[in-house]
Amino acid sequence: MKTLSKIATGSLGLALLFSSLTAVGANAVEAGADGQINGDRSSGCVVDWTARAMLDENMNNIPRGLRAGPYATSGFMESVHPRHGSQAILENHHWFNPNLNLQYWRIPIGANYEILPGAELTVDLPDDMTNIQFFGELSSQVVDGDVDRFMRGQTFGALASNLHWDLVPTATQTDAARNIWTLKFNQGLPLGHAAVIEFVGSGDHTKHYEATSHLSGLRATDENGNACSPIPEPSLTVGHCQAGVVGRTVFSPYSQDIDRREKYADSWHGTGQLWGEAGADGWDPSRQYSDAAGATRRMRFYAATTRELNNATMTVSAPQGATFDETSIASTLTPGAGQLVANGFSQSVTGISNPTVSADKKTLTFTVAHMPENSSLSVEVNAVLTGEKAHQTPTSKPMVFFHTLVGSIPGCDVSPTPTTPATTPSTPATQPTPEQPQNPKKPAPLAHTGAAGSLLVGLAGMSLFAGMLALKRRRA
């Protein structure tokens, strides 16, 4: 990456003055110019925007169909704009400061829908543009410092008025020979928020220049409101005289912390008492937050119970976005780390086995001989990103982890009834109020007990027998 050269203070002051005087003209893009191409090639969930423009004071060098007044409002070969029927904005605004031989490329990026974290903008600037200075935030480049007000004065109509131009990306020169820059939107473009950036550099105002911008990413939902990156859902099956709890963790490679800690998934419903939790904490020791395949995150997986269990099995799986590095597994702690002790899970468990990782590196498993009431444990391991991309976009899928804990209920009589699986129902069930909530700020996990399922089966059988007997009497 080339070092960004600072423009001399005096020259920059003149440049900013000229920019302020000419900004309105430079950004008043022509409406409906003949020959201009619609750069919005998005389809379904995939965001695909392209903008191209030429910068030339000699109007004879600009095709007639792309002329719309002065040179700064002409030469837009391709753009994403509401006048093309698009719900988004991407254009390469351009002009010269002829006194200082500076060229300006200002690029607005926005939409009236949400774009997920991981979107990328590549900007191919003129090869001979040098001494480049990048502005990711334009308050210093507009007359009164109010970027929102300035952008509402452009020719984007209501779309610009509904956006806050407050996103501040960073730019990296990824190809010095061709002067290509890449901007990563690690937070995406949340609904109602947009970015406007600017490149300023040396440029002979008597020459011809061209620049191209391209945005690739993933929408949060498609035009019909369907999720573009659905999250896998967990399930849990327990047997007679067993109890189990399930949780789900979602961790985007672009996030600095866990995105969603679900002691049970919002879209998953179970039955039984609320008696414990299984979840995760996560962080990136390198502080780089790379989404590339092979990058790692340190994960702490934990389980806790308010009731006594024997012969419990803890299983953590990674259905999406990650595998486990078995060599990085740390010793299991009991009671568990994090906030477990503060939340009342202060007792120790006994008989913990060494955690093992499956052959495909997608499942971590260990057993616990005995878990007293209000006990907990935790184990740390590196999760390795797989770099899975969504819909062939630059957007990496989030890591998703499922956590299940299943153990035997002490004192439960296993002889009267054979093992009967109790599987999560497909329809929502009424959730009882916990007698001992672990964390009043968060819902506790849903437990499943096989014993309760067997009781319901027995009651249903008695009702069926009584009905058959009554029918026989009526026929007699």
Side-chain angles (χ1 to χ4, degrees), residues 437-463:
Q438 286 75 52
N439 187 342
K441 296 182 180 180
K442 295 182 179 180
L446 294 178
H448 288 246
T449 58
S454 299
L455 177 60
L456 293 176
V457 172
L459 292 175
M462 292 174 64
S463 299

Side-chain angles (χ1 to χ4, degrees), residues 50 67 76 186 193 202 214 248-249 289 300 330 436 456:
T50 300
R67 300 176 190 173
F76 289 85
N186 286 342
H193 297 269
S202 300
H214 181 251
R248 178 173 68 177
T249 297
Y289 301 99
R300 177 194 294 138
Q436 294 178 303
L456 293 176

Side-chain angles (χ1 to χ4, degrees), residues 35-41 50 77-81 84-86:
Q36 187 179 125
I37 298 173
N38 179 9
D40 191 348
R41 298 175 179 84
T50 300
M77 298 178 282
E78 192 168 355
S79 66
V80 177
H81 196 283
H84 294 307
S86 176

Side-chain angles (χ1 to χ4, degrees), residues 397-448:
K397 293 181 179 180
M399 296 183 293
V400 179
F401 303 100
F402 296 161
H403 328 282
T404 61
L405 176 70
V406 178
S408 299
I409 302 171
C412 180
D413 188 357
V414 299
S415 58
T417 307
T419 301
T420 303
T423 307
T424 57
S426 58
T427 56
T430 302
Q431 301 172 8
T433 302
E435 295 181 2
Q436 294 178 303
Q438 286 75 52
N439 187 342
K441 296 182 180 180
K442 295 182 179 180
L446 294 178
H448 288 246

